[in-house]
Amino acid sequence: MTDTRNSLIEGFEDRQQAWYKAVAGVFARVQKKDVADVPLDSWRKLIKTTYDGIEINPLYTRADELPEDVTPGVFPYRRGAAGVGAEYQGWGVAESFGAKAKNATVLSALENGTTNLVLQGKPNVAELLNGVHLSMCPVRLNCGTNTKAVAEELFAFADAQEGTPQLIELGASPLSSEVDDSASVDLETTVELAKISTERENTRAVLVDAVRFSNQGATDAEEIGLALAAGAEYLRILTEAGLTIEQAFNQLSFRYAVTDDQFAQIAKLRAARQLWARVAEIVGVPEHGSCPQHAITAPVMFAQRDPWVNMLRCTVAAFAGGVGGATDVEVLPFDWAIPGGLPKTSRTFATRMARNTNLLLLEESHLGHVIDPGGGSYFIEALTTELADKAWAVFTDIEAQGGLRAAVASGAVKELLDTSFEAVRKDIAHRIKQLTAINEFPNLAEAPLPADLRVGPKYVRRWAGEFEALRNRSDAYMEVKGVRPAAALIPLGPLAKHNIRTGFATNLLASGGIEALNPGQVTPGTPEFEQAAKAAKVVVICGTDQEYAETGAEAFKALKDLGVETVLLAGAKAEGFEPDGYLHLKIDAAATLAGLLEKLGA
């Protein structure tokens, strides 16, 4: 391949400079300056930095182009494991079935688009899979401590059929389970299953479950790096138990979480494949550097509140998983975070919508007919390379500590994940990272969940958790009082002037389950003002900075004279008075709302 990185079109530099000037012009208008006084590198203010410290530019051009990589299906598999000319270039549609699932449900799913089965709990395999041909349908277990018993049933079921199973994966994941204390078979049993699986065709025993790392707060680079560390640890364990290095590689598969951060997730899956291939190359078996790469819509992004929004998150995540080159993608039902699902919602409907999300992308959007859809994108290629560098640094750091088990035992992995989780939690609390229906645009009129369903899934630090805990307090208050905890708004000036801040305050308060009582414009000294002031223990003055300068002090004094306990100001600036607190974009909204709920008795 020819490196065309510096082969820029004629006039490229002039076009680039024109773009710099255009951006500077926008900044000049916003800052009300002469464009000559705004530097041409103002575009750098638009750079966003990821949690891995990667700078995302506002524009990528041919100047960012990297040398073209090898074709898909060829080491290092960055562009996908399936090669050019493969019969089907799309990804598998995975769906999970619990121990109580019925055979008819499984068969119906297969008839309607599901291609990969994931068995959970301790099902009766022969009964559940009756009529399923394993030569046509990959099956993976997610059975925790029941893995060995279910594997034996699955082997017996497979042996009773004609033909070779397409792929059987036992899903033993003891190392990643140590991170969150979730149920799994132990290492000794995992090694035993790997030895048995080595003697069988198309059977893999070990799952490097990076979703466990994601669930505890791992960044994209950390998720990959920790997965590589777990994979390397399994290689050492299996070869020490007598397997060859080739056999050990053939016993592993990976599972990653994909969020609604579209481009980052595409890059994550591509980087993960490339780096695992690099591990295979280092130990001398590059031809074994490709293995199944499963993707699942990330549990951390699921919300219990207004769960329908999860459909949007899952659509973006599934797109990223497929375009990123996953072997198969599992879209969790939109109400997955609610125990038993959303009340009065059919399980058939929820699972069908999840399955159809994949099918719409594959068949109606024709993504399944395109090999490596993201390949060649300046942004995706650059992001993949930078993410791979960051992830490799995480991996080598864990290896320098003696491997994953040593790093887990020392507490280093927990510290790493806690630090990353706190960074995200802080951004969500400050509403820098915006979650629709959670810390932005909450639906306070939404019917509350029954009290016994206001419990999130175990082993997952969900992004919405802190704000949903506030909403739960509000629901509990309403169950006793018949109304929600409320704060009164004191709009100063006409609607055109106070509307922006009354809207902001209403939205902010609602994210904590607090109803905003808006009487419309009120003036100190009037009966309407007094009535509004006595409507709640907490009031929020709303208006423009100019209005605050003119009548803010008067309104504040009047409120205090009326005995209002807490007077807040929507904004960050008060003149001539000092409110009891401020509501603006830079506050820790979660902490502020928690304090207000306390004041309101919730």
Side-chain angles (χ1 to χ4, degrees):
M1 297 297 179
T2 302
D3 184 351
T4 59
R5 180 179 175 84
N6 296 316
S7 301
L8 302 179
I9 62 174
E10 184 178 351
F12 176 84
E13 292 294 338
D14 292 337
R15 294 185 183 188
Q16 191 172 48
Q17 289 299 312
W19 184 77
Y20 293 157
K21 291 177 182 178
V23 174
V26 173
F27 276 102
R29 287 194 295 273
V30 171
Q31 299 170 3
K32 297 180 180 180
K33 293 181 178 180
D34 188 287
V35 67
D37 297 327
V38 178
L40 281 183
D41 65 350
S42 293
W43 67 271
R44 294 186 177 278
K45 295 180 181 179
L46 301 177
I47 293 175
K48 303 294 183 182
T49 304
T50 72
Y51 291 106
D52 287 309
I54 298 172
E55 291 187 344
I56 305 298
N57 294 329
L59 180 68
Y60 286 80
T61 68
R62 191 161 184 172
D64 301 292
E65 187 175 19
L66 298 171
E68 186 174 354
D69 210 333
V70 295
T71 57
V74 178
F75 179 92
Y77 309 106
R78 171 174 169 137
R79 302 192 61 196
V84 176
E87 181 179 353
Y88 184 66
Q89 301 291 356
W91 60 93
V93 178
E95 186 172 344
S96 289
F97 297 89
K100 296 182 179 180
K102 304 296 184 182
N103 174 251
T105 304
V106 173
L107 296 180
S108 175
L110 292 172
E111 290 172 354
N112 287 283
T114 295
T115 62
N116 296 55
L117 302 181
V118 182
L119 309 187
Q120 297 178 326
K122 191 178 181 181
N124 182 317
V125 174
E127 184 177 301
L128 182 63
L129 299 185
N130 183 34
V132 176
H133 298 282
L134 298 188
S135 61
M136 303 173 63
C137 178
V139 175
R140 182 169 82 250
L141 303 185
N142 183 12
C143 297
T145 55
N146 299 314
T147 298
K148 183 179 179 180
V150 179
E152 291 173 350
E153 290 187 36
L154 184 57
F155 289 158
F157 180 79
D159 292 342
Q161 293 189 340
E162 294 183 0
T164 302
Q166 189 173 119
L167 179 62
I168 291 176
E169 296 179 79
L170 306 184
S173 57
L175 293 184
S176 46
S177 294
E178 288 182 6
V179 172
D180 61 3
D181 295 324
S182 56
S184 173
V185 291
D186 57 28
L187 270 173
E188 182 179 353
T189 303
T190 299
V191 171
E192 179 185 347
L193 291 172
K195 289 181 176 180
I196 295 172
S197 299
T198 299
E199 302 300 320
R200 303 181 62 88
E201 292 186 273
N202 298 336
T203 304
R204 294 174 182 256
V206 183
L207 176 67
V208 179
D209 194 0
V211 179
R212 304 287 186 185
F213 308 135
S214 169
N215 288 347
Q216 295 305 305
T219 65
D220 293 330
E222 289 166 359
E223 187 178 349
I224 298 171
L226 291 170
L228 295 175
E233 194 90 1
Y234 282 126
L235 293 179
R236 286 190 285 266
I237 292 169
L238 294 177
T239 52
E240 289 171 3
L243 273 65
T244 66
I245 189 63
E246 293 86 354
Q247 289 174 328
F249 267 93
N250 291 342
Q251 284 305 303
L252 303 187
S253 58
F254 288 77
R255 187 174 78 136
Y256 289 95
V258 284
T259 70
D260 55 357
D261 188 354
Q262 176 179 295
F263 292 105
Q265 303 311 292
I266 294 172
K268 178 170 72 178
L269 296 179
R270 299 171 101 241
R273 287 194 303 273
Q274 177 181 331
L275 294 183
W276 185 243
R278 172 61 176 152
V279 171
E281 182 182 43
I282 289 173
V283 299
V285 287
E287 67 279 9
H288 290 270
S290 176
C291 67
Q293 185 189 57
H294 310 294
I296 186 171
T297 50
V300 294
M301 71 179 181
F302 277 76
Q304 290 186 325
R305 301 293 169 154
D306 205 352
W308 306 96
V309 180
N310 292 328
M311 289 188 183
L312 302 179
R313 300 182 178 108
C314 284
T315 300
V316 177
F319 175 91
V323 172
T327 308
D328 57 74
V329 177
E330 179 175 3
V331 177
L332 295 174
F334 74 97
D335 53 357
W336 171 84
I338 302 172
L342 185 65
K344 301 180 181 179
T345 301
S346 163
R347 290 297 83 218
T348 301
F349 169 79
T351 55
R352 176 165 55 86
M353 292 302 295
R355 183 189 315 126
N356 286 353
T357 299
N358 260 324
L359 296 178
L360 286 168
L361 293 169
L362 281 164
E363 303 300 340
E364 294 200 20
S365 299
H366 299 292
L367 292 178
H369 301 277
V370 182
I371 191 166
D372 187 25
S377 161
Y378 304 141
F379 177 32
I380 291 176
E381 296 293 3
L383 184 55
T384 299
T385 296
E386 291 189 72
L387 187 56
D389 290 342
K390 295 286 185 179
W392 192 258
V394 174
F395 168 53
T396 54
D397 180 58
I398 296 296
E399 287 292 282
Q401 297 178 48
L404 184 64
R405 283 186 292 177
V408 169
S410 70
V413 171
K414 183 179 186 304
E415 182 179 354
L416 178 72
L417 297 177
D418 286 349
T419 300
S420 297
F421 168 74
E422 179 57 24
V424 176
R425 187 211 65 79
K426 185 178 179 180
D427 279 354
I428 294 172
H430 285 78
R431 304 206 306 174
I432 295 171
K433 182 178 177 65
Q434 298 175 344
L435 307 178
T436 301
I438 303 301
N439 62 0
E440 284 287 352
F441 310 114
N443 178 14
L444 202 55
E446 176 187 11
L449 291 172
D452 62 330
L453 299 186
R454 297 173 204 156
V455 180
K458 291 182 178 180
Y459 315 118
V460 183
R461 290 167 154 178
R462 291 181 305 116
W463 294 341
E466 189 168 14
F467 277 89
E468 287 184 343
L470 301 178
R471 296 281 294 277
N472 290 344
R473 289 169 61 179
S474 173
D475 287 347
Y477 180 96
M478 187 170 68
E479 288 171 351
V480 175
K481 304 286 187 178
V483 294
R484 290 203 177 277
L489 304 185
I490 304 295
L492 301 179
L495 176 65
K497 292 187 176 181
H498 71 241
N499 190 49
I500 291 177
R501 279 179 169 157
T502 53
F504 168 78
T506 298
N507 184 53
L508 174 61
L509 292 168
S511 66
I514 300 172
E515 183 180 0
L517 307 176
N518 188 349
Q521 179 182 358
V522 292
T523 304
T526 64
E528 293 79 12
F529 183 91
E530 182 175 347
Q531 182 179 1
K534 292 182 178 180
K537 295 180 181 179
V538 174
V539 302
V540 184
I541 300 174
C542 302
T544 62
D545 288 346
Q546 181 181 356
E547 190 66 38
Y548 293 160
E550 294 174 1
T551 65
E554 179 187 0
F556 177 75
K557 182 177 183 303
L559 291 169
K560 286 299 184 181
D561 289 344
L562 290 170
V564 178
E565 295 180 17
T566 303
V567 180
L568 306 177
L569 186 76
K573 180 181 179 182
E575 292 190 24
F577 66 103
E578 185 58 40
D580 299 313
Y582 294 89
L583 299 182
H584 54 75
L585 291 172
K586 294 184 178 181
I587 64 169
D588 183 330
T592 299
L593 292 168
L596 292 179
L597 285 172
E598 189 72 28
K599 290 178 182 291
L600 295 170

